[in-house]
Amino acid sequence: MSMERLFSRRLVRIDLKFKNINWETATIKQYELEKELGVWRIFLNGYSKKGFIVFDEDSIPKEKILETLRELEPEVEGEKTLTVEELIESSYSWNNIIKS
C-alpha cells in the first residue's frame, strides 16, 4: 500500500459516554479493544465516564466495538470520519498545547 493511499484511508471516530464504568472495567475493555487490528486509537476514562475510539470500519465494524462495550452501557455522543493523515496531525504535540 502506498503512503499516499495509507494517509488518505478513512477512519471513524466515535465519542462515547458510559453509564456503568469504573477505572478497572475501563482498563480491561480498553485493553481488549487495543488488541483488535482495526482499532487505531482508544481512550476510555472510568472517572469522567467518557471515551473515544478511532477505528477502521473495513477491519472492525462499529457494532462489534459497541458489543464489546455493552456491559459499560455506552451511548454514542458523536461520530465523525477522518483520514489517517488527520489523525497523525492531530497527535502532534504542538497541537495539544493550550492556546491563550
Side-chain angles (χ1 to χ4, degrees):
M1 178 180 291
S2 72
M3 290 300 272
E4 184 177 313
R5 229 173 105 207
L6 175 67
F7 283 170
S8 63
R9 187 177 191 111
R10 301 305 254 165
L11 304 174
V12 176
R13 175 185 167 134
I14 54 174
D15 295 309
L16 301 161
K17 182 177 182 178
F18 301 100
K19 294 179 183 171
N20 182 29
I21 191 172
N22 59 44
W23 70 269
E24 188 175 19
T25 57
T27 304
I28 292 167
K29 291 299 181 180
Q30 182 168 313
Y31 178 72
E32 279 182 41
L33 286 169
E34 282 174 338
K35 294 188 300 182
E36 295 288 342
L37 293 177
V39 175
W40 285 65
R41 179 107 3 107
I42 181 169
F43 178 70
L44 306 179
N45 188 318
Y47 297 104
S48 70
K49 298 187 178 212
K50 293 185 177 248
F52 70 89
I53 303 170
V54 179
F55 62 99
D56 180 350
E57 204 163 28
D58 292 336
S59 300
I60 183 170
K62 178 179 158 183
E63 292 77 24
K64 182 175 181 182
I65 290 173
L66 294 176
E67 179 61 29
T68 302
L69 299 172
R70 184 174 40 97
E71 72 184 68
L72 307 179
E73 300 177 34
E75 177 183 317
V76 177
E77 287 193 319
E79 184 174 330
K80 70 177 184 177
T81 59
L82 66 157
T83 63
V84 171
E85 183 175 19
E86 291 169 332
L87 177 64
I88 292 169
E89 286 179 5
S90 71
S91 300
Y92 292 151
S93 62
W94 56 81
N95 287 332
N96 297 318
I97 297 172
I98 298 175
K99 297 178 184 175
S100 47

